[in-house]
Amino acid sequence: MSAQQPYSFFHSVERSFDKAAKFTHWDLGILEQIKACNSVYQMRFPVKRDDGSIEVIEAYRVQHSHHKTPCKGGIRFSDEVNQDEVMALASLMTYKCAIVNVPFGGGKGGIKINPRKYSVYELEKITRRYTSELVKKNFIGPGIDVPAPDYGTGSREMAWIVDTYSSLKPGEIDSAGCVTGKPLTQGGVRGRTEATGMGVFFGIREVCNMPEVMAKQGLSLGIEGKTIVVQGLGNVGYHCAKFFREHGAIVVGLAEYEGAIYNANGLNEEEVVQHRKATGSILNFPGATNLAKNTDALELQCDILIPAALENVINGENAPRVKAKIIGEAANGPCTPEADDVFAQKGILCVPDMYLNAGGVTVSYFEWLKNLSHVRYGRMEKRFTENMNTHILSQMEELSSKKVSEKERTFIMHGPEEVDLVHSGLEETMISATREIMQIWQDNPEIPDMRTAAYVSAINKVANSYAELGIFP
Ligand code: NAD
């Protein structure tokens, strides 16, 4: 909490929930049940540092909802981790999964450490110990609770988790499904690494393809030529910048925690990452201008602003200076409810986190299904589809007495690889969710913003699943 943020992150999620609940017909008790965090596990465990000292580590796992099991949600390594934050993020996971029709309850984990201050060996010990604490309390498992990467973690940590879990549960045939975001060799799925950034791109592209929405924002249709600013060049931010640039948008600004850079002619995220690796900073990138503060990037003139770092970065204080016409919330909770009020007054369209960054959990769902089925996507149908396509094509060529070009032939005959199926499943999910939320908003003009429409969608889906169980008459 701070002067700009007078209440906690969890409270701000509750406020957004309450704002939307008014547009649903559910009983107050049902709404209270949906909002509550079902289980909170707070733990402390000792770790021996490389210098021989003992440090007590603070960590959490929260299961927000069990209306569907397993629970699902990332594990965050950050100095800022606290119980309130993990509860807020777990709640967002419940709503996110509901919106994109992924059959999980929301969960989230956090370890209060700055990973940059620990050696790889220390991080491995912390991750493995955290996993064994979760096993002891039955807080992890393919049918119980399935973590994934989040801020400060990646496939390396997920590999340590699956290895620890499997060694504690020998013979459990589905143990690979205890965590997602794993490396391919440990049961991961192709397409998971880029999934969240790609999902953000698909969601914003769909919004940009809606003529009435673009007319309202005073923007032309489509992604091409749109100016983009991205805050945070980690997994999500990097892939967002990449997909927007590859589809003709111009990434004019990038921000990292050490500073921000601007170039009206466009920045290439890969070159900036290489420059950062070489110099230790994104600043002084050739051809770009350094901004005075990293937060200045949020106030740059652009069509689409993508906060992809941490929560509460756009609040009542700086929201009036935001000049973007669309905000794509790639991070979880980057805009506070006060910022939402400012956006509503200024006509800025904020595309909300709880569905926009659902690409990660959607592909995590695909990974989990792959682990339970023990077969790679495409293995059964790739060759069959290619043979069938070859046959159809040769029949058509024979009947029409025309030959297609080699390029077209390769494209038509191609049977789906795992990555093709994952990307197309993700695209379908993001397009459907965008349309569903926009429809809810259009059907009820009283709904003030897209976030509220997204919450209405989530509340109705979770409440319906309780109602179908007969828990709520
Ligand atoms: P990450 O650790 O890979 O990257 C985050 C980046 O933000 C880092 O490079 C960090 O240095 C930078 N950063 C930190 N503070 C900053 C600041 N003040 N200004 C500019 N940059 C700053 O994390 P990630 O996985 O990319 O996650 C980013 C956000 O996306 C988080 O809110 C996370 O919860 C959310 N998210 C991630 C996923 C996923 O699949 N990884 C899925 C859904 C949501």
Side-chain angles (χ1 to χ4, degrees), residues 76 96 116 149-152 192 196 231-236 255-257 276 294 308-309 330-332 357:
R76 174 174 287 206
K96 187 181 300 186
R116 290 192 198 92
D150 191 69
Y151 185 91
R192 173 61 181 89
T196 305
Q231 183 201 38
L233 208 47
N235 175 300
V236 179
E256 252 300 329
Y257 75 99
R276 190 172 188 231
N294 65 356
N332 281 310
N357 66 26

Side-chain angles (χ1 to χ4, degrees), residues 9-10 37 59-62 64 74 76 81-91 107-111:
F9 186 15
F10 183 62
C37 270
Y60 301 87
R61 184 75 193 172
V62 172
H64 170 256
R76 174 174 287 206
V81 162
N82 57 58
Q83 185 172 317
D84 180 273
E85 179 187 77
V86 186
M87 285 167 65
L89 292 165
S91 324
K108 202 81 183 187
I111 304 187

